[in-house]
Amino acid sequence: MKKLQGVISALPTPFRRDGSLDREALKKFVDFQIDNGITALLPVGTTGESPTLTHEEHAEVIRLVIEQTAGRVPVICGTGSNATAEAVAMTKQAAADGADYSLQVTPYYNKPGQEGIFRHFTAIADASPIPIILYNIAGRTGRNIETETVARLAEHPNIVGVKEASGSVAQAMDVIHSVPNDFMVFSGDDSLTLPTIAVGGDGIISVASNVIPQAMTEFTAAALTGDWETARKYNKKYAPLFQKLFIDTNPVPVKYALSRMGWMEEVYRLPLCPMNDKCKTALDAVLKDLDLIQDSAK
């Protein structure tokens, strides 16, 4: 498959006021993202509130995004689990529904060692009909995928990239230097998009692109083509947004922002809940400054 570069939007999952899936809002949001130039879509990752979706809802969100995308951009589905057999089953289902890639998070809670992590991802890649992208986010899983392990996994023909969300540019750089040139390395932190690309990364799996898809597309395109002056201008302009979108646990702030912009309801499933008024006011101020909303009223 062609190497992906640019912006991959980690989609939120819209809910109605009664807590059910808002299918129409999701379809419209998929079109909004594609119309604004993003490289690929990622449903049911962390931003998609996957931990509180039922298995049936998880599969339905994937199908809805694939159907609405209609082949216009690749779809990368979050089908990871801390149970290897479950991850294999979900990945096979997503592949059958037409997914292009699977994003596989490090096993969480049971906290395997590096050999266990290696065997987990290898087993999934062996069984998967579609390519696998690793998802390294130790802050949520309790386990870092060490660079040596990523390099070993990169030798597997069906493991084609990593979302590097360790928060460390140094680790991203080590990974980039340790894997083949065709192995994709994406930042998992919007605020580290520029330095990650600068050391050889391929782009960003983004939360901010939900709010500013066109700007993130232009930002990463500038960086990937070596137009550092333009890239720095985008980074400076949107740095406050990158910061405020993580003022509370993702996806709470981005879903609030999108509710203020009219894309979906501000509805979460417990244990996630709305931000306090202080955080909302701070995020409103940034959204207003960027002309993304017209006022700061709630």
Side-chain angles (χ1 to χ4, degrees), residues 169-283:
V169 175
Q171 177 161 321
M173 184 167 60
D174 286 345
V175 169
I176 290 163
H177 291 167
S178 300
V179 297
N181 289 335
D182 60 352
F183 189 85
M184 299 178 290
V185 180
F186 288 94
S187 173
D189 300 279
D190 287 296
S191 62
L192 298 182
T193 303
L194 182 56
T196 300
I197 294 175
V199 298
D202 294 291
I204 173 71
I205 296 180
S206 177
V207 174
S209 61
N210 288 295
V211 178
I212 50 167
Q214 183 176 352
M216 288 300 293
T217 297
E218 293 168 354
F219 171 30
T220 56
L224 286 165
T225 56
D227 183 357
W228 301 114
E229 181 179 358
T230 299
R232 284 192 293 268
K233 287 179 180 178
Y234 274 101
N235 190 63
K236 182 176 181 179
K237 179 177 181 178
Y238 292 105
L241 179 65
F242 299 159
Q243 191 272 326
K244 289 298 186 292
L245 285 177
F246 289 87
I247 198 170
D248 201 337
T249 301
N250 180 47
V252 172
V254 70
K255 215 167 193 183
Y256 171 75
L258 292 170
S259 75
R260 296 284 286 115
M261 296 169 68
W263 284 110
M264 59 190 66
E265 299 282 356
E266 189 198 0
V267 178
Y268 317 92
R269 287 181 177 173
L270 288 171
L272 296 184
C273 64
M275 299 187 293
N276 60 43
D277 287 344
K278 181 179 179 180
C279 290
K280 289 182 177 182
T281 299
L283 181 49

Side-chain angles (χ1 to χ4, degrees), residues 10-293:
L11 299 174
T13 301
F15 299 128
R16 297 184 181 278
R17 284 291 170 187
D18 64 3
S20 62
L21 295 178
D22 191 336
R23 297 164 180 83
E24 291 307 310
L26 179 59
K27 292 177 183 179
K28 291 177 181 177
F29 195 68
V30 164
D31 288 340
F32 166 63
Q33 290 289 305
I34 295 172
D35 290 346
N36 281 277
I38 54 85
T39 302
L41 294 173
L42 170 57
V44 291
T46 302
T47 309
E49 294 180 71
S50 54
T52 51
L53 297 179
T54 66
H55 287 296
E56 293 76 17
E57 289 172 331
H58 191 281
E60 183 178 2
V61 169
I62 289 173
R63 286 194 296 270
L64 282 169
V65 171
I66 291 170
E67 289 169 5
Q68 192 67 22
T69 299
R72 289 176 287 172
V73 298
V75 177
I76 306 166
C77 295
T79 54
S81 172
N82 60 347
T84 307
E86 182 177 68
V88 168
M90 290 194 297
T91 302
K92 287 182 175 180
Q93 181 62 60
D97 290 333
D100 298 289
Y101 297 85
S102 166
L103 185 74
Q104 291 288 332
V105 69
T106 314
Y108 43 88
Y109 190 77
N110 41 19
K111 297 174 69 173
Q114 294 301 304
E115 184 62 25
I117 290 171
F118 174 80
R119 294 186 187 191
H120 169 82
F121 287 130
T122 298
I124 297 166
D126 285 345
S128 175
I130 53 177
I132 299 299
I133 298 173
L134 310 173
Y135 182 10
N136 187 27
I137 183 164
R140 285 184 181 265
T141 66
R143 277 289 185 263
N144 184 48
I145 312 176
E146 301 295 341
T147 298
E148 181 181 353
T149 305
V150 176
R152 289 178 68 198
L153 290 164
E155 296 175 5
H156 195 294
N158 209 28
I159 299 177
V160 298
V162 62
K163 176 183 178 182
E164 178 50 60
S166 65
S168 168
V169 175
Q171 177 161 321
M173 184 167 60
D174 286 345
V175 169
I176 290 163
H177 291 167
S178 300
V179 297
N181 289 335
D182 60 352
F183 189 85
M184 299 178 290
V185 180
F186 288 94
S187 173
D189 300 279
D190 287 296
S191 62
L192 298 182
T193 303
L194 182 56
T196 300
I197 294 175
V199 298
D202 294 291
I204 173 71
I205 296 180
S206 177
V207 174
S209 61
N210 288 295
V211 178
I212 50 167
Q214 183 176 352
M216 288 300 293
T217 297
E218 293 168 354
F219 171 30
T220 56
L224 286 165
T225 56
D227 183 357
W228 301 114
E229 181 179 358
T230 299
R232 284 192 293 268
K233 287 179 180 178
Y234 274 101
N235 190 63
K236 182 176 181 179
K237 179 177 181 178
Y238 292 105
L241 179 65
F242 299 159
Q243 191 272 326
K244 289 298 186 292
L245 285 177
F246 289 87
I247 198 170
D248 201 337
T249 301
N250 180 47
V252 172
V254 70
K255 215 167 193 183
Y256 171 75
L258 292 170
S259 75
R260 296 284 286 115
M261 296 169 68
W263 284 110
M264 59 190 66
E265 299 282 356
E266 189 198 0
V267 178
Y268 317 92
R269 287 181 177 173
L270 288 171
L272 296 184
C273 64
M275 299 187 293
N276 60 43
D277 287 344
K278 181 179 179 180
C279 290
K280 289 182 177 182
T281 299
L283 181 49
D284 277 341
V286 173
L287 296 173
K288 184 177 179 181
D289 187 58
L290 293 171
D291 294 323
L292 295 169
I293 61 173

